[in-house]
């Protein structure tokens, strides 16, 4: 079957109306409000309660809240957390009234941002923050150590200052905190 095509009229053969029509669309978009986000300079503002990357927090006395109970390490589904406890409380290497971790690592390549670590933590020492885009140039770089996790987590304002209370008790008893 042969498809019969209509012949182009004079204006269509000029192509000018089509070109002008195209320019009109371009100009309309040119003056519209820009909606393209300049990522990564601009980022989404995520709602409160968003489950981003998990970081460790300190209390307002600048003390690490984590006591190396390892519950988070145990529940973490992809086994992204690795904790090196310092030894029993009161031992010289513990260095404090309770067991602040010697090392605490989270492999962000494994983490699935599930929030189990935050839910299970008895000390409210780990929180899922609002970071949703983590980048690195190597696998090693994506394993965040204790210092990095604490720096990113910052200070968490606690109503109950357990560490302070314990440190004060230790001071009263003449134990070196
Ligand atoms: S958010 Fe989930 S996957 Fe990530 S470290 Fe915590 S428990 Fe593990
Ligand atoms: S972050 Fe919380 S759950 Fe994990 S080891 Fe520290 S105190 Fe325990």
């Amino acid at each position: 079957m042969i498809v019969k095509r209509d012949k182009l009229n004079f204006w269509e053969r000029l192509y000018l109306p089509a070109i002008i029509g195209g320019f009109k669309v371009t100009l309309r978009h040119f003056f519209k409000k820009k909606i393209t986000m300049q990522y990564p300079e601009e980022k989404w503002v995520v709602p409160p309660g968003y489950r981003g990357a998990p970081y460790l927090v300190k209390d307002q006395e600048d003390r690490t809240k984590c006591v190396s109970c390892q519950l988070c390490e145990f529940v973490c589904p992809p086994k992204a957390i690795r904790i090196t406890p310092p030894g029993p409380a009161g031992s010289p290497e513990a260095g404090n009234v309770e067991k602040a971790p010697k090392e605490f690592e989270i492999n962000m390549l494994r983490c699935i941002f599930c929030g189990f670590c935050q839910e299970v933590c008895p000390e409210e020492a780990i929180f899922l923050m609002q970071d949703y885009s983590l980048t690195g140039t190597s696998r090693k770089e994506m394993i965040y150590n204790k210092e990095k996790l604490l720096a990113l987590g910052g200070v968490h304002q606690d109503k109950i200052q357990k560490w302070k209370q314990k440190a004060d008790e230790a001071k009263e008893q003449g134990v070196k905190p």
Side-chain angles (χ1 to χ4, degrees):
M1 184 183 158
I2 298 169
V3 179
K4 223 178 141 196
R5 297 187 189 280
D6 292 337
K7 281 199 170 175
L8 297 179
N9 62 29
F10 174 73
W11 284 109
E12 283 167 341
R13 271 185 283 137
L14 267 183
Y15 294 111
L16 269 177
I19 291 170
I20 291 167
F23 274 127
K24 262 163 67 183
V25 174
T26 307
L27 278 174
R28 206 167 54 235
H29 284 281
F30 191 78
F31 291 108
K32 261 189 183 172
K33 188 174 171 260
K34 287 189 183 67
I35 54 165
T36 308
M37 183 180 278
Q38 300 301 313
Y39 186 86
E41 287 79 17
E42 288 173 24
K43 288 192 176 171
W44 291 106
V45 179
V46 293
Y50 178 84
R51 296 201 302 206
Y55 298 143
L56 291 173
V57 296
K58 289 184 173 185
D59 70 4
Q60 48 279 68
E61 301 289 326
D62 204 35
R63 293 170 196 270
T64 306
K65 294 181 72 188
C66 173
V67 292
S68 314
C69 71
Q70 293 178 282
L71 275 175
C72 56
E73 189 178 19
F74 181 73
V75 297
C76 178
K79 301 282 172 231
I81 301 177
R82 197 165 65 87
I83 300 166
T84 311
S91 66
E93 68 272 26
N96 214 329
V97 282
E98 283 199 32
K99 297 197 302 174
K102 198 169 173 186
E103 189 47 87
F104 194 116
E105 288 178 350
I106 300 182
N107 187 336
M108 294 298 177
L109 291 174
R110 284 187 168 209
C111 178
I112 53 171
F113 301 173
C114 65
F116 283 4
C117 51
Q118 176 180 324
E119 278 182 39
V120 82
C121 181
E123 298 291 325
E124 298 190 346
I126 189 164
F127 284 91
L128 268 65
M129 307 270 172
Q130 302 198 319
D131 286 8
Y132 59 85
S133 114
L134 311 175
T135 52
T137 52
S138 65
R139 285 178 180 272
K140 203 172 162 201
E141 213 178 298
M142 295 308 289
I143 300 173
Y144 288 19
N145 63 15
K146 187 178 77 171
E147 284 69 35
K148 188 166 182 179
L149 291 168
L150 285 168
L152 288 164
V155 172
H156 184 80
Q157 296 296 327
D158 269 338
K159 288 194 190 101
I160 303 163
Q161 295 185 32
K162 184 183 140 191
W163 280 110
K164 187 173 185 309
Q165 198 184 332
K166 296 244 177 189
D168 290 347
E169 281 168 18
K171 209 171 167 187
E172 275 170 25
Q173 290 162 14
V175 179
K176 203 176 162 206

